[in-house]
Amino acid sequence: MSKKGFTTTNLHSDRRGNPEHGVLHKPVHPSVAYGYADARELAEVFQGKRAGYNYGRQLNPTVTALQERVTKMEDGIASAAFATGMAAIGSTFFSLLRAGDHIVSSAFLFGNTNSLLLTLQQFGVAVSFVDATDAANVAAALQDNTRLVFVETIANPVTQIADLQAIGELCEQHDLLFCVDNTMTSPYLFRPRVVKASLVVNALTKYIGGHGNALGGCVTDTGCYDWTKYPNLYENYKTGSPSLWGITQIRKKGLRDIGASLGPEAAHHLAVGSETLALRMERSCSNALQLARFCANHPGVKNVYYPGLPSHPQHERAKTLFSHFGALFSIDLDDRLDCFDFLNRLDCVISSSNLGDVRTLAIPVAHTIYYEMGAERRASMGIADSMIRFSVGIEDIADLVEDFEQALADQPG
Ligand SMILES: *Cc1c(COP(=O)(O)O)cnc(C)c1O
């Protein structure tokens, strides 16, 4: 059978696993434990000699079905799902790194990932933060004890795009793990496998789930990395094909020791949400491009940060790598406008901290998600007090443009 397209593959994923009664969705299985008529079978499941479920923290049929969907979306070989995106990133680091290791990370990071890396330093893992829009900065930071390089595809809120292709080649040359957070692009816009990423992280909470009604995260092994070269694997997980050694250790250590497991109800919501990922991304990205262009031509807006604008420093890179320019952009308002007043005048745009929802959401960056880091660090990262980040949804574009128009208009008095 020929390989089907992105959405067809996803829609028919559950049913191809021959679920009970011919249901089209893998059912929500709430059971934590699994009974075996023959105790020997239970022992064989524990010993890894037979496939099967033993305890809900490590494996659940509803979650397994979602993992398979994400693996197919990413064109990978295996995935491990977690309770949140942060749980996926944290569990990956904790299971693969040891005290004395060094990692190189993009300096342009989701705030909580930045916080996690600062915490990791307390446990003896050194971290170099570099401007990853140029692979030369990553190369200059490598050390003998470097284990992995971590980047996001499009960073938020300023939308810098990592030098993905060149970093992938660099990591391959040095046998380093290349871990890419694909949340902002989603596998519909970009599959990090094409730039030789080893592991791909997706916060399922965002575009893949798409409706702001469930938290989840997933790490996918692309099959690009030769795990026989990785020093931190435990001998008991080096069984079977070496291509699965890494994900096995992430599952065993991440889920068993840390236990931030995805629940079956959330997995079901996220799986159903993922079925319309392509449709939602087409619409959201198109809306974002039109709104970003509108803002770029409006005197009430000082700067627009969006990879789809030719003025964006990595516009050509985005055009080469991604099928669309993403659904998130930021602006600096003109000094005449107060960012809170502007946000309050918007009607279809909700002041909210999430992103990747079907609704358009906006947040005043310096006063919320980047408040804790202080004015000095914000200035060093180019975050102005008047910056607003938009996560663009699937509303009718005419309504969004009209809303921006009235909210940006000169106010009487
Ligand atoms: C939201 C987000 C995460 C974390 O996901 P949660 O499900 O909120 O824990 C990680 N990376 C990026 C780029 C994100 O936007």
Side-chain angles (χ1 to χ4, degrees), residues 316-386:
E316 288 306 317
R317 180 177 295 163
K319 222 158 71 175
T320 311
L321 290 175
F322 311 146
S323 64
H324 301 276
F325 296 109
L328 183 139
F329 74 97
S330 298
I331 62 171
D332 296 330
L333 277 181
D334 187 78
D335 298 333
R336 284 176 297 129
L337 290 163
D338 177 85
C339 73
F340 292 103
D341 291 342
F342 165 73
L343 285 168
N344 291 345
R345 279 196 294 273
L346 288 165
D347 175 48
C348 304
V349 180
I350 306 162
S351 291
S352 173
S353 70
N354 192 21
L355 60 89
D357 196 304
V358 281
R359 283 152 281 261
T360 300
L361 312 177
I363 192 158
V365 175
H367 308 278
T368 54
I369 48 176
Y370 281 29
Y371 179 74
E372 199 181 295
M373 66 176 59
E376 204 173 305
R377 178 94 200 278
R378 278 199 298 275
S380 78
M381 296 176 77
I383 312 281
D385 283 351
S386 69

Side-chain angles (χ1 to χ4, degrees), residues 84-86 89 110 113 152 181 183-184 203 205-206 215-216 355:
T84 65
M86 284 315 301
I89 298 171
F110 178 64
T113 306
E152 295 175 4
D181 184 335
T183 301
M184 293 295 296
T205 315
K206 310 292 174 55
L215 292 156
L355 60 89

Side-chain angles (χ1 to χ4, degrees), residues 102-244:
H102 170 251
I103 76 177
V104 179
S105 169
S106 167
F108 312 123
L109 279 183
F110 178 64
N112 299 169
T113 306
N114 181 67
S115 164
L116 168 67
L117 290 177
L118 300 180
T119 304
L120 265 189
Q121 290 183 312
Q122 307 300 312
F123 290 87
V125 175
V127 185
S128 300
F129 293 98
V130 301
D131 176 351
T133 60
D134 184 349
N137 298 323
V138 176
L142 296 184
Q143 303 176 5
D144 289 342
N145 58 342
T146 306
R147 295 283 170 259
L148 70 84
V149 175
F150 184 88
V151 303
E152 295 175 4
T153 50
I154 304 177
N156 123 49
V158 187
T159 71
Q160 301 96 334
I161 297 169
D163 195 354
L164 293 156
Q165 191 93 47
I167 298 173
E169 277 155 26
L170 183 74
C171 288
E172 187 182 47
Q173 276 163 25
H174 291 85
D175 295 325
L176 295 172
L177 280 178
F178 182 25
C179 189
V180 177
D181 184 335
N182 197 29
T183 301
M184 293 295 296
T185 23
S186 89
Y188 183 62
L189 267 55
F190 177 61
R191 284 168 163 163
R193 186 181 193 280
V194 306
V195 294
K196 299 175 182 156
S198 329
L199 296 171
V200 182
V201 172
N202 281 287
L204 305 176
T205 315
K206 310 292 174 55
Y207 296 105
I208 290 181
H211 296 75
N213 61 347
L215 292 156
C218 197
V219 53
T220 301
D221 191 316
T222 61
C224 293
Y225 186 72
D226 177 2
W227 288 98
T228 63
K229 305 258 172 70
Y230 197 70
N232 293 351
L233 295 183
Y234 298 94
E235 286 307 318
N236 19 347
Y237 305 140
K238 294 190 195 173
T239 56
S241 165
S243 63
L244 295 174

